Amino acid sequence: MKKKITRKGYRVLAVVWTLAAASMAVAFVRRLAQFSLPLLALTALSILAANNFWQSYRRTPEETVRDPFASPPKFADNPVLFDDDPPRAGHLNKDSEENTHE
């Protein structure tokens, strides 16, 4: 199963690849006198990868922040949240953790 990358994740990847592309471009310009085809290819691929991540970042929809108070909690249909009732006289409360002796 493929993990979904969030909008924030694409932004991080885009920034990292942009910095990598900038670093490769600086290295290419510094060695311009000694033309290097592999360095030019790495620079071009880094620029393409950064561009791809920026496009993915722009296409990814905004994350919706879920308001915790907008909907009732999951236990709203069951008002008993905890079973801390003392055991009845004569037998143990089977649901209580204190009385299971585990």
Side-chain angles (χ1 to χ4, degrees), residues 44-102:
L45 289 174
S46 294
I47 291 170
L48 288 174
N51 185 35
N52 186 22
F53 282 122
W54 279 116
Q55 286 179 354
S56 296
Y57 168 70
R58 288 186 194 103
R59 280 184 299 200
T60 305
E62 293 280 336
E63 291 110 10
T64 57
V65 178
R66 188 179 158 273
D67 183 16
F69 300 107
S71 62
K74 292 181 182 177
F75 52 82
D77 58 342
N78 186 2
V80 178
L81 300 178
F82 303 102
D83 184 24
D84 290 339
D85 298 331
R88 287 185 243 142
H91 64 85
L92 296 176
N93 187 352
K94 300 213 187 258
D95 293 334
S96 181
E97 292 181 12
E98 296 96 22
N99 297 322
T100 57
H101 302 294
E102 292 180 6

Side-chain angles (χ1 to χ4, degrees), residues 2-81:
K2 190 175 179 182
K3 185 177 178 183
K4 184 181 175 219
I5 300 175
T6 62
R7 184 172 170 92
K8 185 177 179 182
Y10 277 122
R11 185 179 62 205
V12 169
L13 287 169
V15 168
V16 167
W17 276 101
T18 301
L19 292 174
S23 174
M24 295 301 295
V26 167
F28 178 74
V29 169
R30 288 181 74 181
R31 293 181 176 248
L32 201 53
Q34 310 144 338
F35 182 77
S36 174
L37 188 60
L39 190 58
L40 177 64
L42 282 174
T43 303
L45 289 174
S46 294
I47 291 170
L48 288 174
N51 185 35
N52 186 22
F53 282 122
W54 279 116
Q55 286 179 354
S56 296
Y57 168 70
R58 288 186 194 103
R59 280 184 299 200
T60 305
E62 293 280 336
E63 291 110 10
T64 57
V65 178
R66 188 179 158 273
D67 183 16
F69 300 107
S71 62
K74 292 181 182 177
F75 52 82
D77 58 342
N78 186 2
V80 178
L81 300 178

